[in-house]
Amino acid sequence: MFDKVTGLKNILWAIGIVVCLLALLVGFLVSAVTPYHGEADPRTPDLNAVREKNSSADVSAMTFVEPDGQLHLLRDSKDAGEEYIRSSVFLTDSVLLILREQSLTGGDVWSSDSGDLPMGSVAAWNILYSDGSKISPADACMVTKPARLFIAVGSDGLDKLSRDDFINGYTGLIRSIQRVSPETQIVCCSISPLAEGYDVPDDLDNGVIANANDWLREVCLNTGVYFADTASALTSGGVLDPQYAAANNRSLNTAGAQAVLGYLRTHAIPTV
């Protein structure tokens, strides 16, 4: 009887050892054929890590562009080429949202999920970042550190805005970007006019837009950033040329967006 029990125990031990060896073999084979790419990047940018890195940087180097009392208007230049546009980032409201919808720049185009960026609530803006997260333009610049940022905003909610609110909001936007990405060259694009036939029941008209472009020049003068009169490439007889107008007679169509990109290529930021 004792010999039978001992034999059964030996058999069970042998089976257990075989099972363990088979498990080790399977594990080895699986690990041998499965590639390892390192830990996956998080879907959303780690803003805390970026902020910590910035906070340890030399604060004296993180200064604003010093205004020199002159408006830095972008003038005629040689064609800077497609790479100049592709390597730039665009921040746009609903007027130039087609840049994002049709991927016309070949690079990053930032706007809100809906495409609206009301000028009355600049501090609350969240743009749809490239990874699908929604963050402020300043946080996006803190992560991306773009070499060039073209800002084409100002039309959304403009009819309800005073001069001071517009200037303070736009200036705050620029300063917030300069604070976290001081090396980024910022270009503010003028607001395009309305085409004939614009019949939305609001107080927006081309007189309001002309005033806002004057305010925008003042913002650029006070912050030292570049001003690009892109609206001049779209205007005919004081209104938006119909060939560049979308169906609402306010936003730009594909041809209008391409005209803006063409203007920026041929009015490039001067190289030192």
Side-chain angles (χ1 to χ4, degrees), residues 150-186:
F150 292 108
I151 301 179
V153 301
S155 182
D156 292 344
L158 177 59
D159 60 309
K160 299 177 178 63
L161 224 57
S162 68
R163 171 186 177 278
D164 288 346
D165 287 342
F166 181 95
I167 290 177
N168 291 337
Y170 216 127
T171 300
L173 171 66
I174 292 173
R175 291 304 194 197
S176 68
I177 294 169
Q178 289 175 323
R179 184 175 297 109
V180 299
S181 187
E183 300 303 317
T184 296
Q185 293 180 306
I186 299 175

Side-chain angles (χ1 to χ4, degrees), residues 74-134:
L74 292 182
R75 304 186 183 279
D76 287 336
S77 69
K78 293 181 179 179
D79 189 342
E82 292 184 8
E83 183 57 29
Y84 177 79
I85 297 297
R86 187 181 299 112
S87 60
S88 302
V89 173
F90 286 76
L91 173 64
T92 178
D93 60 15
S94 61
V95 171
L96 261 175
L97 189 62
I98 198 167
L99 289 179
R100 186 180 74 183
E101 292 176 340
Q102 296 190 7
S103 302
L104 295 180
T105 71
D108 288 337
V109 178
W110 296 341
S111 190
S112 67
D113 195 6
S114 66
D116 290 326
L117 290 175
M119 285 302 299
S121 58
V122 174
W125 283 1
N126 278 320
I127 59 99
L128 188 63
Y129 194 59
S130 54
D131 64 358
S133 58
K134 296 177 181 178

Side-chain angles (χ1 to χ4, degrees), residues 25-259:
L25 178 62
V26 171
F28 174 77
L29 292 175
V30 170
S31 62
V33 300
T34 303
Y36 175 70
H37 300 293
E39 294 188 11
D41 293 331
R43 177 165 176 75
T44 57
D46 188 352
L47 298 179
N48 288 330
V50 178
R51 289 192 182 100
E52 184 177 350
K53 179 180 178 182
N54 283 342
S55 65
S56 63
D58 182 5
V59 178
S60 65
M62 301 174 66
T63 56
F64 300 137
V65 175
E66 288 296 333
D68 56 8
Q70 296 182 359
L71 177 65
H72 294 278
L73 175 67
L74 292 182
R75 304 186 183 279
D76 287 336
S77 69
K78 293 181 179 179
D79 189 342
E82 292 184 8
E83 183 57 29
Y84 177 79
I85 297 297
R86 187 181 299 112
S87 60
S88 302
V89 173
F90 286 76
L91 173 64
T92 178
D93 60 15
S94 61
V95 171
L96 261 175
L97 189 62
I98 198 167
L99 289 179
R100 186 180 74 183
E101 292 176 340
Q102 296 190 7
S103 302
L104 295 180
T105 71
D108 288 337
V109 178
W110 296 341
S111 190
S112 67
D113 195 6
S114 66
D116 290 326
L117 290 175
M119 285 302 299
S121 58
V122 174
W125 283 1
N126 278 320
I127 59 99
L128 188 63
Y129 194 59
S130 54
D131 64 358
S133 58
K134 296 177 181 178
I135 57 180
S136 71
D139 281 345
C141 285
M142 180 173 61
V143 175
T144 305
K145 302 291 186 188
R148 286 177 301 279
L149 175 66
F150 292 108
I151 301 179
V153 301
S155 182
D156 292 344
L158 177 59
D159 60 309
K160 299 177 178 63
L161 224 57
S162 68
R163 171 186 177 278
D164 288 346
D165 287 342
F166 181 95
I167 290 177
N168 291 337
Y170 216 127
T171 300
L173 171 66
I174 292 173
R175 291 304 194 197
S176 68
I177 294 169
Q178 289 175 323
R179 184 175 297 109
V180 299
S181 187
E183 300 303 317
T184 296
Q185 293 180 306
I186 299 175
V187 178
C188 296
C189 301
S190 58
I191 305 169
S192 58
L194 305 171
E196 290 184 356
Y198 178 77
D199 59 358
V200 176
D202 59 21
D203 295 325
L204 187 64
D205 58 36
N206 284 332
V208 171
I209 292 174
N211 288 336
N213 280 324
D214 288 338
W215 304 338
L216 181 52
R217 288 181 176 87
E218 187 173 342
V219 170
C220 293
L221 182 69
N222 293 335
T223 56
V225 302
Y226 293 101
F227 177 80
D229 189 15
T230 50
S232 64
L234 306 167
T235 303
S236 176
V239 299
L240 179 61
D241 192 317
Q243 67 175 315
Y244 299 137
N248 62 7
N249 289 316
R250 173 174 167 267
S251 301
L252 300 183
N253 59 18
T254 303
Q258 290 173 336

